Amino acid sequence: GQAAVFDMEFLLDQVCRPMIITIIVMVVGRFLWRVCFFGSAIRVVTDLRTCMFAHSKELSQEYYQVNKVGNLMSLYTNDLDTVQECFGDGILMFCDALFLGLLAVIKMWRMNHFLTSLSMIPMAFLMAAGTTLGKYLMKKWEERQAAFSELSDFAQENYSGLAVIKAFVKETKELMMFRRLNRENEDINVEYTKISTLLNIMVTLFVESVICVILGYGGYLVYCGSFDAGQLVEYIGYFSAVVWPIMAVSMLIEKTSRGKASLNRITELLDAKVDVKDRGGVQDLPSIHGKIEFRNLTFRYPDGEYDVLKNVSFTIEPGESVGIVGKTGSGKTTIVDLLLRTYNVPDGTLFIDDHDVNTVSIHTVREGCAYVPQDNFLFSDTISGNISFAFDDENQEAIEDAAMMSDVHDNIAEFKEGYRTVLGERGVTVSGGQKQRISIARALMNGPRLLIADEPTGDLDQESTDIVMRLFRSLADAGTAILMVTHDPEALGYADYTLRMDAGVLSRP
């Protein structure tokens, strides 16, 4: 309110210095502002990903028979990225809209109550329309993520089965199916984008309508003398500061819809029930000696329609080697799965060292067993890492001893990198027989008192089969209990006795 000479000193002291200070504060503040929000979003997603992975490891095999790998991987990629964007950009936009918009509206309200009230009416319609469209956007985003999951799963399955596709010359067929899924994914994305663009158009429409209201009624106030031209320009300037928060609100509605949809998909994974778990008060066994006893065990898979095991009863003492034979689907592998606590068993039907398995921790049971699976799964790691998988440290001498016992040492030595050779995905670098013998070596590294082998000689030649079977016989003579599922009559000759499975019923041949 006081006149001042506009000279260089005034320019520096009253204009430049305050502007420089304000700019520095804004730059530093905005940097810290974003570090705070984006850093928090990253930490939230990191914790969420850790919880998801920890929970995934606890889920039963039944869950993974229903939910495909591609769908699960999309949760860890697309959906988590969406949640991070919602927590980072979304909260930043919300705070920007809240503080900037609130301060601008307060200044507008102080200048003219009625004009500000008129200006807010279209904004109310915008919020109502945005909320309605937001629900529709969330539904469409769920459909989009489901389409992406299906596309991802199809691609993953084709990569894994590429050799089969080429062998049957079905590249064109798979390509056409991929194109169809890709087209469906495109259509859903385009539909989502149309709704999102409609929301942005509505925001622009309401913003321009408010400017018309301000110019119309504000001009009338200038005409009446309630406002002067400078105040009207100032008022429009304040509303211009509100425009970004309004745009941020529309973007926030879209991000929130996407975030909710993705979080719902993630929640389905986190809420999935862990079926196979320890009961309260279970005990840890200090060691397992190898005695196994089945007592009239009848079992049906959780989603099954009939019993796959019927009153199964037999006992394996430490130092005994028992073979189980039977037709495909007769229940042989189910016995192995129950021993490893892949599924729950009824109380009083399965005992290890005279302890009901339901009263012993699952960790103890699995740690005390050495397992040679039917599919011989190997990790994309070094050969040493695969053989010593059960241990944190790689004892090279013990690794080589196990490899020699399983008759795979000479094959490994032929590789350029030897035991340091990195295997391809699922062990595609090595042959079926080598993969099987590496799997046996991995089981031997555990120093087993109880060895469970499911078709351990299926990919082996006669010479390797004899070596492995003599190894099993020596382990049994040293006190290891061995349960072996096989179709190989030569392998059965090394067992103390054989049991036959037929439609879930166990008998001695």
Side-chain angles (χ1 to χ4, degrees):
Q2 297 179 355
V5 178
F6 191 80
D7 54 11
M8 184 59 67
E9 183 179 357
F10 180 88
L11 178 63
L12 293 175
D13 292 341
Q14 303 299 322
V15 179
C16 294
R17 185 178 293 116
M19 284 185 63
I20 292 172
I21 293 174
T22 302
I23 291 172
I24 292 175
V25 171
M26 288 181 63
V27 169
V28 175
R30 284 181 178 269
F31 175 77
L32 296 177
W33 183 262
R34 280 158 175 74
V35 167
C36 175
F37 286 123
F38 295 155
S40 298
I42 291 173
R43 286 190 292 271
V44 166
V45 171
T46 299
D47 291 342
L48 188 58
R49 184 182 290 109
T50 301
C51 291
M52 290 168 61
F53 189 73
H55 186 69
S56 297
K57 292 193 299 181
E58 300 297 325
L59 292 173
S60 64
Q61 195 162 321
E62 180 188 1
Y63 179 86
Y64 294 103
Q65 291 172 348
V66 177
N67 297 273
K68 297 183 178 180
V69 174
N71 178 54
L72 294 174
M73 291 309 300
S74 70
L75 298 180
Y76 284 91
T77 53
N78 265 23
D79 288 299
L80 278 179
D81 287 344
T82 302
V83 172
Q84 179 177 331
E85 186 179 344
C86 185
F87 269 92
D89 293 340
I91 294 180
L92 179 65
M93 289 177 182
F94 173 77
C95 292
D96 272 350
L98 180 64
F99 288 107
L100 293 178
L102 186 60
L103 291 174
V105 169
I106 290 174
K107 294 293 291 185
M108 291 166 61
W109 180 262
R110 288 179 177 177
M111 293 185 70
N112 190 287
H113 296 354
F114 186 69
L115 180 57
T116 303
S117 300
L118 287 177
S119 301
M120 292 299 107
I121 291 175
M123 297 300 101
F125 283 111
L126 173 63
M127 293 300 295
T131 302
T132 303
L133 283 177
K135 295 179 180 178
Y136 189 66
L137 280 171
M138 183 171 70
K139 179 182 177 181
K140 287 300 176 183
W141 185 259
E142 288 179 343
E143 294 178 1
R144 177 192 179 278
Q145 295 298 79
F148 178 82
S149 296
E150 188 174 354
L151 187 67
S152 175
D153 185 71
F154 183 85
Q156 184 271 334
E157 193 172 56
N158 269 259
Y159 294 148
S160 299
L162 193 58
V164 177
I165 294 172
K166 288 184 176 182
F168 286 88
V169 198
K170 290 297 181 181
E171 295 93 337
T172 303
K173 175 188 174 184
E174 295 300 308
L175 178 60
M176 295 301 295
M177 291 181 66
F178 183 82
R179 283 181 175 175
R180 179 180 61 81
L181 291 173
N182 204 21
R183 178 69 66 180
E184 292 176 359
N185 188 65
E186 178 190 5
D187 293 341
I188 293 175
N189 274 278
V190 168
E191 190 173 354
Y192 176 85
T193 303
K194 286 179 180 179
I195 303 300
S196 177
T197 304
L198 176 61
L199 179 59
N200 292 331
I201 292 173
M202 290 179 59
V203 170
T204 304
L205 175 64
F206 282 116
V207 168
E208 297 301 326
S209 68
V210 173
I211 292 178
C212 292
V213 170
I214 293 174
L215 289 175
Y217 186 71
Y220 173 74
L221 293 178
V222 173
Y223 175 77
C224 295
S226 301
F227 257 25
D228 58 34
Q231 288 176 311
L232 181 58
V233 172
E234 180 184 358
Y235 190 91
I236 293 175
Y238 287 136
F239 179 75
S240 298
V242 181
V243 171
W244 155 243
I246 294 173
M247 298 295 292
V249 167
S250 69
M251 297 171 67
L252 184 61
I253 291 172
E254 179 188 357
K255 289 182 182 295
T256 302
S257 301
R258 291 163 51 188
K260 283 183 177 179
S262 292
L263 194 59
N264 287 340
R265 285 166 47 84
I266 293 172
T267 302
E268 289 180 4
L269 169 64
L270 294 176
D271 288 344
K273 183 180 178 182
V274 179
D275 298 316
V276 182
K277 59 183 178 180
D278 288 328
R279 298 177 180 178
V282 296
Q283 58 178 324
D284 290 330
L285 293 180
S287 62
I288 288 182
H289 301 292
K291 181 180 178 181
I292 303 171
E293 183 180 1
F294 283 76
R295 295 182 187 174
N296 297 317
L297 189 151
T298 298
F299 176 77
R300 176 182 300 187
Y301 286 108
D303 58 346
E305 298 179 354
Y306 59 91
D307 295 332
V308 293
L309 296 179
K310 303 171 185 176
N311 296 320
V312 171
S313 296
F314 69 94
T315 301
I316 302 177
E317 297 290 345
E320 283 188 335
S321 177
V322 177
I324 298 181
V325 296
K327 297 179 181 178
T328 301
S330 60
K332 304 184 302 298
T333 300
T334 302
I335 290 180
V336 173
D337 290 338
L338 295 182
L339 272 174
L340 294 171
R341 292 301 311 278
T342 304
Y343 298 95
N344 291 314
V345 298
D347 290 336
T349 57
L350 177 56
F351 296 81
I352 292 183
D353 291 344
D354 297 321
H355 295 274
D356 189 327
V357 292
N358 290 324
T359 64
V360 180
S361 66
I362 296 175
H363 173 78
T364 297
V365 174
R366 292 175 180 170
E367 190 176 44
C369 298
Y371 178 45
V372 181
Q374 187 173 7
D375 61 356
N376 300 307
F377 183 92
L378 297 181
F379 296 92
S380 183
D381 192 3
T382 63
I383 295 177
S384 291
N386 272 282
I387 294 177
S388 62
F389 179 71
F391 301 91
D392 295 330
D393 299 324
E394 295 184 9
N395 184 331
Q396 193 61 33
E397 183 178 353
I399 291 172
E400 293 185 13
D401 287 343
M404 289 179 182
M405 287 190 290
S406 62
D407 190 36
V408 74
H409 173 76
D410 292 340
N411 295 123
I412 297 174
E414 293 174 358
F415 289 115
K416 183 178 180 181
E417 300 294 330
Y419 285 86
R420 296 287 97 192
T421 302
V422 177
L423 302 181
E425 185 178 2
R426 299 181 67 91
V428 295
T429 311
V430 293
S431 68
Q434 291 169 341
K435 187 187 300 184
Q436 190 149 38
R437 284 175 286 167
I438 291 173
S439 181
I440 293 172
R442 178 172 58 191
L444 298 178
M445 278 288 293
N446 207 22
R449 302 300 300 172
L450 173 56
L451 176 62
I452 303 171
D454 193 354
E455 297 291 352
T457 61
D459 293 325
L460 302 183
D461 57 30
Q462 187 58 53
E463 182 180 356
S464 295
T465 297
D466 290 339
I467 292 174
V468 170
M469 287 300 99
R470 286 197 295 268
L471 168 65
F472 283 8
R473 184 66 262 171
S474 65
L475 289 174
D477 293 339
T480 298
I482 298 177
L483 176 63
M484 180 174 54
V485 174
T486 183
H487 287 98
D488 189 352
E490 296 291 335
L492 293 174
Y494 290 89
D496 291 317
Y497 62 90
T498 302
L499 301 173
R500 180 175 296 279
M501 290 292 300
D502 185 10
V505 178
L506 188 71
S507 61
R508 286 181 180 266

